[in-house]
Amino acid sequence: MQQSQMTGRFITFEGGEGAGKTTLMEGLAHRLTQEKGRSVLKTREPGGTELGEEIRHLLLKKRSLMSPYAELCLFLASRSEHIREVIQPALAKGQIILCDRFNDSTIAYQGNARGLSMEKVAHFCSFISEHLTPHLTLYLDIDPEQGLQRAHKVREQDRIEAEGLAFHKKIREGYLAIAKKEPNRFHLLDASQPPAQLLEAAMRLVLRYV
Ligand code: Z5A
């Protein structure tokens, strides 16, 4: 089935470490279910399927050593499974899918921060995701130092978080370039505002699409 024939909505959440995606997704899922009576599916990348969760473990564990190319391929392998097993069926059923990270993460992290080229990585992403595009992307913009501080308060650093500040600044730079290029889909939200205020701003945007 073509994406245009599917009645569901595909909404993705992007941002650097500790931006607040998980917190915001929880709040939106609750409100869309309770107030709007919608069927909501929360999922994440890497992960979301049995194979995807195994790939996630490989990608995030601190002792994993891999080239940037191998890293890219693993994120894309997880995505391909996720799309076929989870996202497309949910879209066909008319669900609202809230997905923690998708192609924009790969473009910002592997494309810009790892230096593989945003254009080339975007091309691979489009091919692997069979041109599936989110109806809406909420990008939670935060100063990387603030985001890393928040993330470290709640858990140990994983392999990618452990990269230096310069790497995390490049991720933000990558996201801001996408925001400039795709203003209709990719919406920037100030992630330094309090959670309740952020949820209100996000809800206003989401209601335009569901
Ligand atoms: N990655 C990649 O390189 N390429 C790809 O293609 C994909 C991913 C798909 C996935 O790890 C890693 O893989 C990730 C990108 C890379 N890099 N790393 N590391 P993950 O899913 O485990 O990590 P994450 O997505 O960065 O999650 P996170 O750090 O847990 O952040 P979050 O979900 O955005 O934040 P949170 O858990 O909602 O909040 C963090 C803390 O801040 C928590 O204590 C909250 O209570 C607090 N918080 C949340 N919102 C606020 C506000 N508004 N104000 C104050 N405090 C807040």
Side-chain angles (χ1 to χ4, degrees), residues 61-72:
K61 77 173 176 186
K62 263 195 165 165
R63 281 168 295 127
S64 286
L65 287 177
M66 62 186 79
S67 73
Y69 296 96
E71 184 182 89
L72 171 67

Side-chain angles (χ1 to χ4, degrees), residues 17-18 20-23 56 75 101 106 110 155 158 193:
E17 301 344 296
K21 295 176 281 78
T22 312
T23 309
R56 179 184 177 90
F75 279 115
R101 302 191 178 280
T106 323
Q110 282 64 52
R155 57 178 166 73
D158 61 41
Q193 56 188 318

Side-chain angles (χ1 to χ4, degrees), residues 5-29:
Q5 295 171 287
M6 296 180 181
T7 54
R9 284 290 172 269
F10 181 36
I11 301 175
T12 59
F13 295 79
E14 296 286 353
E17 301 344 296
K21 295 176 281 78
T22 312
T23 309
L24 179 63
M25 281 173 62
E26 293 284 337
L28 282 173

Side-chain angles (χ1 to χ4, degrees), residues 187-199:
H187 293 264
L188 185 151
L189 290 169
D190 174 6
S192 68
Q193 56 188 318
Q197 222 170 293
L198 187 60
L199 176 58

